[in-house]
Coordinates of all heavy atoms in Angstrom, one line a residue:
M1 N 62.0 -11.4 -8.0 CA 61.0 -11.5 -9.1 C 60.2 -12.7 -8.8 O 60.6 -13.8 -8.6 CB 61.7 -11.7 -10.4 CG 62.7 -10.6 -10.8 SD 61.9 -9.5 -12.0 CE 62.7 -10.0 -13.5
G2 N 58.9 -12.4 -8.7 CA 57.9 -13.5 -8.5 C 57.4 -14.1 -9.8 O 58.0 -13.9 -10.9
R3 N 56.4 -14.8 -9.7 CA 55.8 -15.4 -10.9 C 55.1 -14.3 -11.6 O 54.6 -13.4 -11.1 CB 54.8 -16.5 -10.4 CG 55.4 -17.7 -9.7 CD 54.5 -18.7 -9.2 NE 53.4 -18.9 -10.2 CZ 52.4 -19.7 -9.8 NH1 52.2 -20.1 -8.6 NH2 51.4 -19.9 -10.8
P4 N 55.1 -14.5 -13.0 CA 54.4 -13.5 -13.8 C 52.9 -13.5 -13.5 O 52.3 -14.5 -13.2 CB 54.7 -13.9 -15.2 CG 55.2 -15.3 -15.2 CD 55.6 -15.6 -13.8
T5 N 52.3 -12.3 -13.6 CA 50.9 -12.1 -13.4 C 50.2 -12.7 -14.5 O 50.7 -12.9 -15.6 CB 50.5 -10.6 -13.2 OG1 50.7 -10.0 -14.4 CG2 51.3 -10.0 -12.1
H6 N 48.9 -12.9 -14.4 CA 48.1 -13.4 -15.4 C 48.1 -12.5 -16.7 O 48.2 -12.9 -17.8 CB 46.6 -13.6 -15.0 CG 45.6 -14.0 -16.1 ND1 45.7 -15.3 -16.6 CD2 44.7 -13.4 -16.7 CE1 44.7 -15.4 -17.5 NE2 44.1 -14.2 -17.6
A7 N 48.1 -11.2 -16.4 CA 48.1 -10.1 -17.5 C 49.4 -10.2 -18.2 O 49.5 -10.2 -19.4 CB 47.9 -8.8 -16.9
Q8 N 50.5 -10.4 -17.5 CA 51.9 -10.6 -18.1 C 51.9 -11.8 -19.0 O 52.5 -11.8 -20.1 CB 53.0 -10.5 -17.1 CG 53.2 -9.2 -16.4 CD 54.1 -9.3 -15.2 OE1 54.2 -10.3 -14.5 NE2 54.9 -8.2 -15.0
T9 N 51.4 -12.9 -18.5 CA 51.4 -14.1 -19.2 C 50.6 -14.0 -20.5 O 51.0 -14.4 -21.6 CB 50.9 -15.3 -18.4 OG1 51.7 -15.4 -17.2 CG2 50.9 -16.6 -19.1
R10 N 49.4 -13.4 -20.4 CA 48.5 -13.2 -21.5 C 49.2 -12.3 -22.6 O 49.1 -12.6 -23.7 CB 47.2 -12.6 -21.0 CG 46.2 -12.4 -22.1 CD 44.8 -12.0 -21.5 NE 43.9 -11.4 -22.5 CZ 43.3 -12.0 -23.4 NH1 43.4 -13.3 -23.6 NH2 42.5 -11.3 -24.3
E11 N 49.8 -11.3 -22.1 CA 50.5 -10.3 -23.0 C 51.6 -11.1 -23.8 O 51.7 -10.9 -25.0 CB 51.1 -9.2 -22.2 CG 51.6 -8.1 -23.1 CD 52.1 -6.9 -22.2 OE1 51.3 -6.4 -21.4 OE2 53.2 -6.5 -22.4
K12 N 52.3 -11.9 -23.1 CA 53.4 -12.7 -23.8 C 52.8 -13.7 -24.8 O 53.3 -13.8 -25.9 CB 54.2 -13.4 -22.7 CG 55.4 -14.2 -23.3 CD 56.2 -14.9 -22.2 CE 57.3 -15.7 -22.9 NZ 58.0 -16.5 -21.9
D13 N 51.7 -14.3 -24.4 CA 51.1 -15.3 -25.3 C 50.6 -14.5 -26.6 O 50.6 -15.1 -27.7 CB 49.9 -15.9 -24.6 CG 50.4 -16.9 -23.6 OD1 51.6 -17.3 -23.5 OD2 49.5 -17.4 -22.8
M14 N 50.0 -13.3 -26.4 CA 49.5 -12.6 -27.6 C 50.6 -12.1 -28.4 O 50.5 -12.1 -29.7 CB 48.7 -11.4 -27.1 CG 47.4 -11.9 -26.5 SD 45.9 -11.0 -26.9 CE 46.3 -9.4 -26.3
A15 N 51.8 -11.7 -27.9 CA 52.9 -11.3 -28.7 C 53.4 -12.5 -29.5 O 53.7 -12.4 -30.7 CB 54.0 -10.8 -27.8
S16 N 53.4 -13.7 -28.9 CA 53.9 -14.9 -29.5 C 52.9 -15.2 -30.7 O 53.3 -15.6 -31.8 CB 54.0 -16.1 -28.6 OG 54.2 -17.3 -29.2
K17 N 51.6 -15.1 -30.4 CA 50.6 -15.3 -31.4 C 50.7 -14.3 -32.6 O 50.6 -14.7 -33.8 CB 49.2 -15.2 -30.8 CG 48.0 -15.7 -31.6 CD 46.7 -15.7 -30.9 CE 45.6 -16.3 -31.6 NZ 44.4 -16.4 -30.8
A18 N 51.0 -13.1 -32.3 CA 51.2 -12.1 -33.3 C 52.4 -12.5 -34.2 O 52.3 -12.4 -35.4 CB 51.5 -10.7 -32.7
E19 N 53.5 -13.0 -33.6 CA 54.6 -13.3 -34.4 C 54.3 -14.5 -35.3 O 54.7 -14.6 -36.5 CB 55.8 -13.7 -33.4 CG 56.4 -12.6 -32.7 CD 57.3 -13.0 -31.6 OE1 57.6 -14.2 -31.4 OE2 57.9 -12.1 -31.0
K20 N 53.5 -15.5 -34.8 CA 53.1 -16.6 -35.6 C 52.2 -16.2 -36.8 O 52.3 -16.7 -37.9 CB 52.4 -17.7 -34.8 CG 53.3 -18.4 -33.8 CD 52.6 -19.3 -32.9 CE 53.5 -19.9 -31.8 NZ 52.7 -20.7 -30.9
I21 N 51.3 -15.2 -36.5 CA 50.4 -14.7 -37.6 C 51.3 -14.0 -38.6 O 51.0 -14.1 -39.8 CB 49.3 -13.9 -37.0 CG1 48.3 -14.8 -36.2 CG2 48.6 -13.1 -38.0 CD1 47.3 -14.1 -35.3
V22 N 52.2 -13.2 -38.2 CA 53.1 -12.5 -39.1 C 53.8 -13.5 -40.0 O 53.8 -13.3 -41.2 CB 54.1 -11.6 -38.4 CG1 55.2 -11.1 -39.3 CG2 53.4 -10.4 -37.8
A23 N 54.3 -14.6 -39.5 CA 54.9 -15.6 -40.2 C 54.0 -16.2 -41.2 O 54.3 -16.4 -42.4 CB 55.5 -16.7 -39.3
G24 N 52.8 -16.5 -40.8 CA 51.7 -17.1 -41.7 C 51.3 -16.1 -42.8 O 50.9 -16.6 -43.8
L25 N 51.5 -14.8 -42.6 CA 51.1 -13.8 -43.6 C 52.3 -13.6 -44.5 O 52.3 -12.7 -45.4 CB 50.7 -12.5 -43.0 CG 49.3 -12.6 -42.3 CD1 49.1 -11.3 -41.5 CD2 48.2 -12.8 -43.3
G26 N 53.4 -14.4 -44.4 CA 54.5 -14.3 -45.3 C 55.6 -13.3 -44.8 O 56.5 -12.9 -45.6
G27 N 55.6 -13.0 -43.5 CA 56.6 -12.2 -43.0 C 56.2 -10.7 -42.9 O 55.3 -10.2 -43.7
I28 N 56.9 -10.0 -42.0 CA 56.5 -8.5 -41.9 C 56.7 -7.7 -43.2 O 55.9 -6.8 -43.4 CB 57.4 -7.9 -40.7 CG1 56.6 -6.8 -40.1 CG2 58.7 -7.6 -41.1 CD1 55.5 -7.1 -39.2
E29 N 57.7 -8.1 -44.0 CA 57.9 -7.4 -45.2 C 56.8 -7.6 -46.3 O 56.6 -6.8 -47.2 CB 59.2 -7.7 -45.8 CG 59.4 -9.1 -46.2 CD 59.7 -10.1 -45.1 OE1 60.0 -9.7 -44.0 OE2 59.4 -11.3 -45.4
N30 N 56.0 -8.6 -46.0 CA 54.9 -8.9 -47.0 C 53.6 -8.2 -46.5 O 52.6 -8.1 -47.3 CB 54.6 -10.4 -47.1 CG 53.7 -10.8 -48.3 OD1 53.9 -10.3 -49.4 ND2 52.7 -11.7 -48.0
I31 N 53.5 -7.6 -45.4 CA 52.3 -6.9 -44.9 C 52.4 -5.4 -45.2 O 53.3 -4.7 -44.7 CB 52.2 -7.1 -43.3 CG1 52.1 -8.6 -43.0 CG2 50.9 -6.4 -42.8 CD1 52.1 -8.9 -41.6
D32 N 51.4 -5.0 -46.0 CA 51.4 -3.5 -46.3 C 50.6 -2.8 -45.2 O 50.9 -1.7 -44.9 CB 50.6 -3.3 -47.6 CG 51.4 -3.7 -48.8 OD1 52.7 -3.6 -48.7 OD2 50.9 -4.1 -49.9
E33 N 49.6 -3.4 -44.7 CA 48.6 -2.7 -43.8 C 47.9 -3.8 -42.9 O 47.7 -4.9 -43.4 CB 47.6 -2.0 -44.7 CG 46.7 -1.1 -44.0 CD 45.7 -0.5 -45.0 OE1 46.2 0.1 -46.0 OE2 44.5 -0.5 -44.8
I34 N 47.6 -3.4 -41.7 CA 46.9 -4.4 -40.8 C 46.0 -3.5 -39.9 O 46.4 -2.5 -39.4 CB 47.8 -5.3 -40.1 CG1 47.0 -6.4 -39.4 CG2 48.7 -4.6 -39.1 CD1 47.8 -7.7 -39.1
E35 N 44.8 -4.1 -39.6 CA 44.0 -3.4 -38.6 C 43.1 -4.5 -38.0 O 42.7 -5.5 -38.6 CB 43.2 -2.3 -39.2 CG 42.0 -2.7 -40.0 CD 41.1 -1.6 -40.5 OE1 40.4 -1.0 -39.6 OE2 41.2 -1.3 -41.7
G36 N 42.8 -4.3 -36.7 CA 41.9 -5.2 -36.0 C 40.5 -4.7 -36.2 O 40.2 -3.5 -36.2
C37 N 39.6 -5.6 -36.4 CA 38.2 -5.3 -36.6 C 37.3 -6.3 -35.9 O 37.0 -7.4 -36.4 CB 37.9 -5.3 -38.1 SG 36.2 -4.8 -38.5
I38 N 37.0 -6.1 -34.7 CA 36.1 -6.9 -33.8 C 36.8 -8.3 -33.6 O 37.5 -8.5 -32.7 CB 34.7 -7.0 -34.2 CG1 34.2 -5.6 -34.5 CG2 33.9 -7.8 -33.3 CD1 32.8 -5.2 -34.3
T39 N 36.6 -9.2 -34.5 CA 37.1 -10.6 -34.3 C 38.1 -10.9 -35.5 O 38.5 -12.1 -35.6 CB 36.0 -11.6 -34.3 OG1 35.3 -11.6 -35.6 CG2 35.1 -11.4 -33.1
R40 N 38.4 -10.0 -36.3 CA 39.3 -10.3 -37.5 C 40.5 -9.3 -37.6 O 40.3 -8.2 -37.2 CB 38.5 -10.1 -38.8 CG 37.4 -11.1 -38.9 CD 36.5 -10.8 -40.1 NE 35.4 -11.7 -40.2 CZ 35.1 -12.5 -41.2 NH1 35.8 -12.4 -42.3 NH2 34.1 -13.3 -41.1
L41 N 41.5 -9.8 -38.2 CA 42.6 -9.0 -38.6 C 42.4 -8.7 -40.1 O 42.3 -9.7 -40.9 CB 44.0 -9.7 -38.5 CG 44.4 -9.9 -37.0 CD1 45.7 -10.7 -37.0 CD2 44.6 -8.6 -36.3
R42 N 42.3 -7.5 -40.5 CA 42.2 -7.2 -41.9 C 43.5 -6.7 -42.4 O 44.1 -5.8 -41.8 CB 41.2 -6.1 -42.1 CG 39.8 -6.5 -41.7 CD 38.8 -5.3 -41.9 NE 37.5 -5.7 -41.4 CZ 36.4 -5.8 -42.2 NH1 36.5 -5.5 -43.5 NH2 35.2 -6.2 -41.7
T43 N 44.1 -7.4 -43.4 CA 45.4 -7.0 -43.9 C 45.4 -6.9 -45.4 O 44.6 -7.4 -46.1 CB 46.4 -8.2 -43.5 OG1 46.0 -9.4 -44.3 CG2 46.4 -8.6 -42.1
E44 N 46.4 -6.1 -45.8 CA 46.8 -6.0 -47.2 C 48.2 -6.5 -47.3 O 49.1 -6.1 -46.5 CB 46.8 -4.6 -47.7 CG 45.5 -4.0 -48.0 CD 44.8 -4.6 -49.3 OE1 45.6 -4.9 -50.3 OE2 43.6 -4.7 -49.4
V45 N 48.5 -7.5 -48.2 CA 49.8 -8.0 -48.4 C 50.3 -7.8 -49.8 O 49.5 -7.5 -50.7 CB 49.8 -9.5 -48.1 CG1 49.4 -9.8 -46.7 CG2 48.9 -10.3 -49.1
H46 N 51.6 -7.8 -50.0 CA 52.3 -7.6 -51.3 C 51.9 -8.8 -52.1 O 51.5 -8.7 -53.2 CB 53.8 -7.5 -51.2 CG 54.3 -6.3 -50.5 ND1 54.1 -5.0 -51.0 CD2 55.0 -6.1 -49.4 CE1 54.7 -4.1 -50.2 NE2 55.2 -4.8 -49.2
D47 N 52.2 -10.0 -51.6 CA 52.2 -11.2 -52.4 C 51.3 -12.3 -51.6 O 51.7 -12.9 -50.7 CB 53.6 -11.8 -52.5 CG 53.7 -13.0 -53.4 OD1 52.6 -13.6 -53.8 OD2 54.8 -13.5 -53.7
P48 N 50.0 -12.4 -52.1 CA 49.2 -13.4 -51.4 C 49.6 -14.8 -51.5 O 49.2 -15.6 -50.7 CB 47.8 -13.2 -52.2 CG 48.0 -12.2 -53.3 CD 49.4 -11.7 -53.2
S49 N 50.5 -15.1 -52.5 CA 51.0 -16.5 -52.6 C 51.9 -16.9 -51.4 O 52.1 -18.1 -51.1 CB 51.7 -16.8 -53.8 OG 53.0 -16.1 -53.9
K50 N 52.4 -15.9 -50.6 CA 53.2 -16.2 -49.5 C 52.4 -16.5 -48.2 O 52.9 -16.9 -47.2 CB 54.1 -15.0 -49.2 CG 55.2 -14.8 -50.2 CD 56.1 -13.6 -49.8 CE 57.2 -13.4 -50.8 NZ 58.1 -12.3 -50.5
V51 N 51.1 -16.2 -48.2 CA 50.2 -16.5 -47.1 C 50.0 -18.0 -46.9 O 49.7 -18.7 -47.8 CB 48.9 -15.8 -47.3 CG1 47.9 -16.1 -46.2 CG2 49.0 -14.3 -47.4
D52 N 50.3 -18.4 -45.7 CA 50.2 -19.9 -45.4 C 49.1 -20.1 -44.5 O 49.1 -19.9 -43.2 CB 51.5 -20.3 -44.7 CG 51.6 -21.7 -44.3 OD1 50.6 -22.4 -44.3 OD2 52.7 -22.2 -44.1
E53 N 48.0 -20.5 -45.1 CA 46.7 -20.7 -44.3 C 46.9 -21.7 -43.2 O 46.3 -21.5 -42.1 CB 45.6 -21.1 -45.3 CG 44.2 -20.9 -44.7 CD 43.1 -21.0 -45.8 OE1 43.4 -20.7 -46.9 OE2 42.0 -21.5 -45.4
A54 N 47.6 -22.8 -43.4 CA 47.8 -23.8 -42.4 C 48.5 -23.2 -41.2 O 48.2 -23.5 -40.1 CB 48.5 -25.0 -43.0
A55 N 49.5 -22.4 -41.5 CA 50.3 -21.8 -40.4 C 49.4 -20.8 -39.6 O 49.5 -20.7 -38.4 CB 51.5 -21.1 -41.0
L56 N 48.6 -20.1 -40.3 CA 47.7 -19.1 -39.6 C 46.7 -19.9 -38.7 O 46.5 -19.5 -37.5 CB 46.9 -18.3 -40.6 CG 47.7 -17.2 -41.3 CD1 47.0 -16.6 -42.5 CD2 48.2 -16.2 -40.4
K57 N 46.2 -21.0 -39.2 CA 45.3 -21.8 -38.4 C 46.0 -22.5 -37.2 O 45.5 -22.5 -36.1 CB 44.6 -22.9 -39.2 CG 43.5 -22.2 -40.1 CD 42.7 -23.2 -40.9 CE 41.6 -22.5 -41.7 NZ 40.9 -23.4 -42.6
A58 N 47.3 -22.8 -37.4 CA 48.1 -23.4 -36.3 C 48.4 -22.3 -35.2 O 48.5 -22.6 -34.1 CB 49.4 -24.0 -36.9
A59 N 48.3 -21.0 -35.7 CA 48.6 -19.9 -34.8 C 47.3 -19.5 -34.0 O 47.3 -18.6 -33.2 CB 49.1 -18.7 -35.5
G60 N 46.2 -20.2 -34.3 CA 45.0 -19.9 -33.6 C 43.9 -19.3 -34.4 O 42.8 -19.0 -33.9
A61 N 44.1 -19.1 -35.7 CA 43.0 -18.5 -36.6 C 41.9 -19.6 -36.7 O 42.1 -20.7 -36.9 CB 43.6 -18.2 -38.0
H62 N 40.7 -19.0 -36.7 CA 39.5 -19.9 -36.9 C 39.2 -20.0 -38.4 O 38.5 -20.9 -38.8 CB 38.3 -19.3 -36.2 CG 38.5 -19.1 -34.7 ND1 38.7 -20.2 -33.8 CD2 38.7 -18.0 -33.9 CE1 38.9 -19.7 -32.6 NE2 38.9 -18.4 -32.6
G63 N 39.7 -19.1 -39.2 CA 39.5 -19.1 -40.6 C 40.3 -18.0 -41.3 O 40.8 -17.1 -40.6
V64 N 40.4 -18.1 -42.6 CA 41.1 -17.2 -43.4 C 40.3 -16.9 -44.6 O 39.9 -17.8 -45.3 CB 42.5 -17.7 -43.8 CG1 43.3 -16.7 -44.7 CG2 43.4 -18.1 -42.6
V65 N 40.1 -15.6 -44.9 CA 39.4 -15.2 -46.1 C 40.3 -14.5 -47.0 O 40.9 -13.4 -46.6 CB 38.1 -14.3 -45.7 CG1 37.4 -13.9 -47.0 CG2 37.2 -15.0 -44.7
K66 N 40.5 -15.0 -48.2 CA 41.4 -14.3 -49.2 C 40.6 -13.7 -50.3 O 39.8 -14.3 -50.9 CB 42.4 -15.3 -49.8 CG 43.3 -16.0 -48.8 CD 44.2 -17.0 -49.5 CE 45.1 -17.7 -48.6 NZ 46.0 -18.6 -49.3
M67 N 40.9 -12.4 -50.6 CA 40.3 -11.7 -51.7 C 41.4 -10.9 -52.4 O 41.6 -9.7 -52.1 CB 39.2 -10.8 -51.2 CG 38.1 -11.5 -50.6 SD 37.0 -10.5 -49.5 CE 38.2 -10.1 -48.1
G68 N 42.2 -11.5 -53.3 CA 43.3 -10.9 -53.9 C 44.4 -10.6 -52.8 O 44.8 -11.5 -52.1
T69 N 44.8 -9.4 -52.7 CA 45.8 -9.0 -51.7 C 45.2 -8.7 -50.4 O 45.9 -8.4 -49.4 CB 46.7 -7.8 -52.2 OG1 45.8 -6.7 -52.4 CG2 47.4 -8.1 -53.5
A70 N 43.9 -8.7 -50.3 CA 43.2 -8.4 -49.0 C 43.0 -9.8 -48.3 O 42.4 -10.7 -48.9 CB 41.9 -7.7 -49.2
I71 N 43.5 -9.9 -47.1 CA 43.4 -11.1 -46.3 C 42.7 -10.8 -45.0 O 43.1 -9.9 -44.3 CB 44.8 -11.8 -46.0 CG1 45.6 -11.8 -47.3 CG2 44.6 -13.1 -45.3 CD1 45.2 -12.8 -48.4
Q72 N 41.7 -11.6 -44.6 CA 41.1 -11.4 -43.3 C 41.4 -12.7 -42.5 O 41.2 -13.8 -43.0 CB 39.6 -11.3 -43.4 CG 39.2 -10.0 -44.0 CD 37.7 -9.7 -44.0 OE1 37.0 -10.5 -43.3 NE2 37.3 -8.8 -44.8
V73 N 42.0 -12.5 -41.3 CA 42.3 -13.7 -40.5 C 41.3 -13.6 -39.3 O 41.3 -12.7 -38.5 CB 43.7 -13.6 -40.0 CG1 44.1 -14.8 -39.1 CG2 44.7 -13.4 -41.1
V74 N 40.4 -14.6 -39.2 CA 39.4 -14.7 -38.1 C 40.1 -15.3 -36.9 O 40.5 -16.4 -36.9 CB 38.2 -15.5 -38.6 CG1 37.2 -15.5 -37.5 CG2 37.6 -15.0 -39.9
I75 N 40.3 -14.4 -35.8 CA 40.9 -14.9 -34.6 C 40.2 -14.7 -33.3 O 40.7 -15.1 -32.3 CB 42.3 -14.2 -34.5 CG1 42.2 -12.7 -34.4 CG2 43.3 -14.7 -35.6 CD1 43.6 -12.1 -34.1
G76 N 39.1 -14.0 -33.4 CA 38.3 -13.9 -32.1 C 38.6 -12.5 -31.5 O 39.1 -11.6 -32.2
T77 N 38.2 -12.4 -30.2 CA 38.2 -11.1 -29.6 C 39.6 -10.5 -29.3 O 39.7 -9.4 -28.9 CB 37.4 -11.2 -28.3 OG1 38.0 -12.2 -27.4 CG2 36.0 -11.5 -28.5
D78 N 40.6 -11.2 -29.6 CA 42.0 -10.7 -29.5 C 42.5 -9.9 -30.7 O 43.7 -9.5 -30.7 CB 43.0 -11.8 -29.1 CG 42.8 -12.4 -27.7 OD1 42.3 -11.7 -26.9 OD2 43.2 -13.5 -27.5
A79 N 41.6 -9.7 -31.6 CA 42.1 -9.1 -32.9 C 42.7 -7.8 -32.7 O 43.8 -7.5 -33.3 CB 40.9 -9.0 -33.9
D80 N 42.1 -6.9 -32.0 CA 42.6 -5.5 -31.8 C 44.0 -5.5 -31.1 O 44.9 -4.9 -31.7 CB 41.7 -4.6 -31.1 CG 40.5 -4.2 -31.9 OD1 40.7 -4.0 -33.2 OD2 39.4 -4.1 -31.4
P81 N 44.2 -6.2 -30.0 CA 45.5 -6.2 -29.4 C 46.6 -6.9 -30.3 O 47.8 -6.5 -30.3 CB 45.4 -6.9 -28.1 CG 44.0 -7.4 -28.0 CD 43.2 -6.8 -29.1
I82 N 46.2 -7.9 -30.9 CA 47.2 -8.6 -31.8 C 47.6 -7.7 -33.0 O 48.7 -7.6 -33.4 CB 46.6 -10.0 -32.3 CG1 46.6 -11.0 -31.1 CG2 47.5 -10.5 -33.5 CD1 46.0 -12.3 -31.4
A83 N 46.6 -7.0 -33.6 CA 46.9 -6.0 -34.6 C 47.8 -5.0 -34.1 O 48.8 -4.6 -34.9 CB 45.6 -5.4 -35.1
A84 N 47.6 -4.5 -32.9 CA 48.5 -3.5 -32.3 C 50.0 -4.0 -32.2 O 50.9 -3.4 -32.5 CB 48.0 -3.0 -31.0
D85 N 50.1 -5.3 -31.7 CA 51.3 -6.0 -31.6 C 52.0 -6.0 -32.9 O 53.3 -5.7 -33.1 CB 51.3 -7.4 -31.0 CG 50.9 -7.3 -29.5 OD1 51.1 -6.3 -28.8 OD2 50.5 -8.4 -29.0
I86 N 51.3 -6.4 -34.0 CA 51.9 -6.5 -35.3 C 52.3 -5.1 -35.8 O 53.4 -5.0 -36.4 CB 50.9 -7.2 -36.3 CG1 50.7 -8.7 -35.8 CG2 51.4 -7.2 -37.7 CD1 49.7 -9.5 -36.5
E87 N 51.4 -4.1 -35.6 CA 51.8 -2.8 -36.0 C 53.1 -2.3 -35.3 O 53.9 -1.6 -36.0 CB 50.7 -1.8 -35.7 CG 49.5 -1.9 -36.6 CD 48.3 -1.0 -36.2 OE1 48.3 -0.6 -35.1 OE2 47.5 -0.8 -37.1
D88 N 53.3 -2.7 -34.1 CA 54.6 -2.3 -33.4 C 55.8 -3.0 -34.1 O 56.9 -2.5 -33.9 CB 54.5 -2.8 -31.9 CG 53.5 -1.9 -31.1 OD1 53.1 -0.8 -31.6 OD2 53.2 -2.3 -30.0
M89 N 55.6 -4.1 -34.7 CA 56.7 -4.8 -35.4 C 57.0 -4.2 -36.7 O 58.1 -4.4 -37.2 CB 56.3 -6.3 -35.6 CG 56.2 -7.1 -34.4 SD 55.8 -8.8 -35.0 CE 54.7 -9.3 -33.7
M90 N 56.1 -3.4 -37.3 CA 56.3 -2.9 -38.6 C 57.1 -1.6 -38.7 O 57.3 -1.0 -37.8 CB 54.9 -2.6 -39.3 CG 54.1 -3.9 -39.5 SD 52.4 -3.6 -40.0 CE 52.7 -3.2 -41.7

């Protein structure tokens, strides 16, 4: 086994980022729905009080927009693959 390729390293980093974002959204059980939309993760959560904006920013979010149970996490161009990783956890 050689060193991991750039693609493998990036995939692992994105999975780790997805896990941190899930934690910031209050855990997988708090997420009703998630989808990637260009540079944002659009989510519906059960309990918006469990959303930890500081944890989301520490995970790499550039911003968080809260509208009741609808949460948008601004993360940049990795939104779609991260949303797919989170969907795989659900």
